[in-house]
Amino acid sequence: MEVSALILVVTFFVLLALNVPISFSIGIATLATMLYSIDFVPAITTVAQRMAGGLNSFALLAIPFFVLSGLIMGQGGIARRLIECAMALIGMLPGGLALVNVLSCTLFGGISGSAVAATSAIGSFMIPEMEKKGYERNFAAAVTATAATTGMIIPPSNILIIYAIASGGVSISALFIAGYLPGLLVALALMLVCVVYAKKHNFPTEPVLPLKTVVTKVAAAIPSLLLIIIVIGGIVAGVFTATEAGVIAVLYSMFLSIVLYKEVRVRQLPDILLKSVGITAIVMFLIASSSAMSWILSYENIPQAITDTMLALSENPLLILLIINLILIVVGAFMDMTPAVLIFTPIFLPVAESIGVSPIHFGIMMVLNLSIGLCSPPVGSVLFVSCSVAKTSIEKIIKPMIPLYFAMIAVLMLVTFIPAISEWLPQAMGLMK
């Protein structure tokens, strides 16, 4: 087992260092590990079978539908209406535009399920607007990057669906509901930092709008916000599955963008569909190759060996969870969320369950942890998008982002060591066994 694990790890990281795409790195490392034990033909056949089997899941159909609905929303005027709603509600508070940025990213991320989409859609408007009103451009970019990650925790979230598959069948409905409180806590923590930062730097506030204007702006955003109620309410009530909810999300976002708001033309749909196919293909290939790696990990008994090693170091659950968090924070800084979840869930979930941590609690902790990696150098995709939108560099954005990082890590520690934050809602709704 030791030799197999060494071959797997060394091959994987050498390929990554050579800039081989991560999905190919995973697949080649898996094949190389198998070749140590068996001949080439059965090894490559097994890899192919495991890759195909990893995609043979009805729940995975939800991903292309949520990807498509997110792309339609990004072009359908939904982001602008959410920003105007947030502006009307909290723009007059200290650091008003920064708070509007956080709330808008949270709402749009929760509707679209994409941190990158939230960064692009909200950031393209809010970053120039904040700069125009006297905010530092780098601070505006930092707020957008960190706030956009809430879309990974607040449902509908593709990464929670992927975790459900990787964990061996954890309830998607329970995961979706469990993500609400942690996601809102992250948003509130970021808002608190924004208020303190704004007061320290004397950033301006927005004027109080007349009640009629506030009502108008909020009413304009209600159709968009209804998507959350329709999708999550339908899943929890058992009206439809998460996959069927994805179809509902596509149909509803098309209705909003094409019929109600009239900001997407029918002739634009082929381009949107083509883009969604490209994104889905990348995600599915990652899932397929990671499924093969998960199988070889299990076949070589690597997760059990890691569990035994960690329990030998300490039987203190708090210390073990802290170690897992530290490892995942490092992983998140160098690896995208999807492969990280697919690779490390089979490794760390048995450890967590052995110390009494539920799969729901661990899943939210893991996704929240890896969300920090989305806005962390050197490979944070959201960080790069935010810098691109703001026309700034990573070096300049890091300093104003440090207090925002600390806020996210503080919430991560709360979620890690207080299971009720992620478990209370699904338990109250009878979604946890």
Side-chain angles (χ1 to χ4, degrees), residues 398-409:
I398 290 299
K399 185 178 178 181
M401 192 176 274
I402 289 174
L404 298 167
Y405 277 136
F406 281 124
M408 296 177 76
I409 291 171

Side-chain angles (χ1 to χ4, degrees), residues 134-208:
Y135 289 76
E136 299 168 2
R137 180 194 302 182
N138 297 319
F139 172 70
V143 171
T144 305
T146 50
T149 62
T150 55
M152 298 290 94
I153 312 161
I154 296 176
S157 167
N158 287 336
I159 201 66
L160 289 178
I161 297 172
I162 290 170
Y163 170 79
I165 302 298
S167 63
V170 173
S171 167
I172 296 175
S173 301
L175 280 170
F176 276 8
I177 297 301
Y180 273 111
L181 283 181
L184 292 175
L185 276 177
V186 172
L188 288 172
L190 295 175
M191 284 182 170
L192 180 61
V193 172
C194 289
V195 169
V196 174
Y197 198 93
K199 286 186 173 181
K200 181 180 177 181
H201 291 81
N202 244 354
F203 291 150
T205 59
E206 295 299 296
V208 178

